[in-house]
Amino acid sequence: MAKTLVIFTIVLLLFAISVSSSNPDPNLNPNSDPAPSEAHKVLIRFGFPIGLLPRNVNGYSLNSSSGEFLVSLGEKCKITLPPDNYLATYSKKIRGKIVENRIAELDGISVRAFFKWWGITGIRSSGENLVFEVGMVTAKYPSMNFNESPYCEGKKHSSS
Ligand SMILES: *[C@@H]1O[C@H](CO)[C@@H](O)[C@H](O)[C@H]1NC(C)=O
């Protein structure tokens, strides 16, 4: 189990490196809306990039005193992350607790690695990096990999 998690973390890091080297500058795409929904703007307000949420957000609620939020998507969303066909799924409802630079008690986002789905339980932001928590295991990605909000699979627009 522990060995699998270590391998998983290494794969995440390799993925992050390969994406950051191939990621085009989002400013070069004049058609991309920088903040597709109010929920995406909430991410920005709390120090996170909009790419953490897919495009098909159709509602959200935020308790501004506790930070508890609920994001509703039009439908379950699957995103295939290039170049390694690494899968992430978003449930129709995503819950959690957001404060400045920290999302906790996250429920609704999973990544697939080694024939298993791993629920992402929390995300921290340092501005330059995002740290994803899968239980006790963490994986760090450059935030710039998440500068653009992705389209769900089957609705993806071709780019470059
Ligand atoms: C918002 O959170 C506060 C603190 O946890 C709680 O007392 C309040 O009932 C919540 N409001 C709503 C509308 O859920």
Side-chain angles (χ1 to χ4, degrees):
M1 181 73 169
K3 200 177 272 178
T4 309
L5 292 180
V6 169
I7 294 167
F8 169 64
T9 304
I10 291 167
V11 168
L12 284 179
L13 291 175
L14 289 176
F15 164 70
I17 291 163
S18 57
V19 166
S20 61
S21 60
S22 66
N23 199 27
D25 182 350
N27 296 327
L28 294 178
N29 183 351
N31 296 321
S32 69
D33 183 343
S37 78
E38 288 302 316
H40 291 89
K41 288 177 190 160
V42 170
L43 283 175
I44 293 170
R45 197 192 324 150
F46 285 95
F48 290 93
I50 60 171
L52 288 177
L53 283 175
R55 296 258 167 176
N56 65 336
V57 170
N58 69 4
Y60 85 102
S61 65
L62 171 68
N63 180 332
S64 53
S65 58
S66 69
E68 288 167 304
F69 69 84
L70 170 65
V71 175
S72 312
L73 302 183
E75 56 191 343
K76 273 183 73 165
C77 183
K78 181 152 72 173
I79 295 164
T80 303
L81 302 169
D84 298 329
N85 297 328
Y86 202 74
L87 276 186
T89 58
Y90 287 73
S91 305
K92 245 183 123 161
K93 304 249 181 243
I94 299 153
R95 293 164 211 279
K97 208 166 168 175
I98 190 166
V99 294
E100 188 75 26
N101 298 324
R102 175 108 179 88
I103 296 170
E105 298 164 39
L106 185 59
D107 180 43
I109 306 177
S110 298
V111 290
R112 187 155 176 87
F114 296 96
F115 314 107
K116 205 174 174 319
W117 289 103
W118 307 80
I120 295 176
T121 50
I123 307 171
R124 279 177 281 136
S125 171
S126 70
E128 227 168 84
N129 290 299
L130 292 176
V131 178
F132 290 85
E133 300 164 352
V134 178
M136 301 291 289
V137 180
T138 62
K140 196 195 266 186
Y141 291 85
S143 300
M144 60 179 288
N145 290 2
F146 298 87
N147 276 348
E148 236 184 304
S149 178
Y151 291 92
C152 297
E153 196 159 276
K155 298 175 182 64
K156 198 174 175 187
H157 291 197
S158 63
S159 59
S160 62

